[in-house]
Amino acid sequence: MFKEHLINTQIKAQELRVIAESGEQLGVMSLSQALRMSDEAELDLVLISPNASPPVARIIDYGKYKFDSLRKEKEQKKASKQNKIKEVQLSLNIQENEVAFKMAAAKRFVEQGFKVKIAINKIRGRATMNADKGVALLVKFAEGISDVADIEQPPTKGGVPGRNMSIVMVVAPKKVGKK
């Protein structure tokens, strides 16, 4: 989220370290002198670092600065969405046709560039004795999608045996150019 800055007459500090639009340090000067310089350049005086001693202000076009900052934030947000993890949930007593269906979904997610977390959740009571069957199921699942994905995190058991156990594995798209 874009942080609003104090501009022009909103600035209350009496002395400022001023930086020109080109990035050149103009030195420490009074607020009135800095405002005069920004008016002559037909730009805004923007308080960039209010907590510095003395506070740092920059002579820039604030509208353009705000637009560029918002665009950069939007691009960063878009790039971070690429790292999201999709999840496919299985159970210990899953049928073969369901496994094939879930495998196809996982392949589709991997081909779209997502990492996929494959989980067997809510293993309770006596079913915890068959946890090795779950690990074998996840290994088989990984082999089924090995043409498009590599195992990033091997199957790991978690939780409290007998109460609420889970087995989780993470796969990621294959690296291009890897032999």
Side-chain angles (χ1 to χ4, degrees):
M1 179 114 180
F2 179 74
K3 181 182 166 243
E4 293 288 333
H5 295 281
L6 297 176
I7 61 171
N8 299 328
T9 57
Q10 296 174 341
I11 300 171
K12 300 296 179 210
Q14 295 306 310
E15 269 198 343
L16 300 167
R17 180 175 307 278
V18 181
I19 302 171
E21 186 179 27
S22 62
E24 175 189 347
Q25 297 254 350
L26 301 177
V28 178
M29 58 182 72
S30 68
L31 176 62
S32 59
Q33 190 178 3
L35 283 171
R36 200 172 329 110
M37 288 180 77
S38 67
D39 284 342
E40 288 171 5
E42 296 181 1
L43 296 170
D44 299 305
L45 183 66
V46 180
L47 190 62
I48 301 294
S49 181
N51 298 331
S53 179
V56 179
R58 202 163 182 177
I59 298 175
I60 54 175
D61 181 356
Y62 187 63
K64 183 179 178 187
Y65 173 75
K66 187 174 178 180
F67 176 79
D68 289 342
S69 295
L70 288 171
R71 190 182 73 221
K72 282 180 188 173
E73 280 180 23
K74 191 175 182 182
E75 287 173 2
Q76 287 175 345
K77 197 172 184 182
K78 189 177 181 181
S80 72
K81 283 184 180 179
Q82 299 292 323
N83 299 333
K84 293 250 186 220
I85 296 180
K86 297 283 188 174
E87 185 169 348
V88 174
Q89 291 192 359
L90 308 174
S91 68
L92 283 177
N93 301 322
I94 194 167
Q95 300 296 315
E96 285 297 317
N97 61 333
E98 289 179 83
V99 171
F101 181 77
K102 301 274 186 169
M103 219 179 273
K107 271 187 182 182
R108 190 172 59 248
F109 293 146
V110 169
E111 287 167 353
Q112 291 172 359
F114 292 99
K115 291 181 181 180
V116 180
K117 175 181 169 184
I118 301 137
I120 301 174
N121 292 325
K122 299 178 183 171
I123 304 171
R124 294 188 177 120
R126 290 185 184 170
T128 57
M129 292 187 294
N130 294 327
D132 292 334
K133 180 182 170 188
V135 171
L137 175 64
L138 290 182
V139 169
K140 181 180 169 190
F141 194 95
E143 289 170 2
I145 61 171
S146 64
D147 57 326
V148 293
D150 289 327
I151 296 176
E152 188 172 90
Q153 177 188 332
T156 54
K157 297 177 191 175
V160 181
R163 293 208 180 138
N164 196 5
M165 201 172 146
S166 63
I167 306 170
V168 177
M169 175 177 70
V170 177
V171 295
K174 281 196 179 232
K175 301 276 190 253
V176 178
K178 195 174 180 184
K179 290 184 181 178

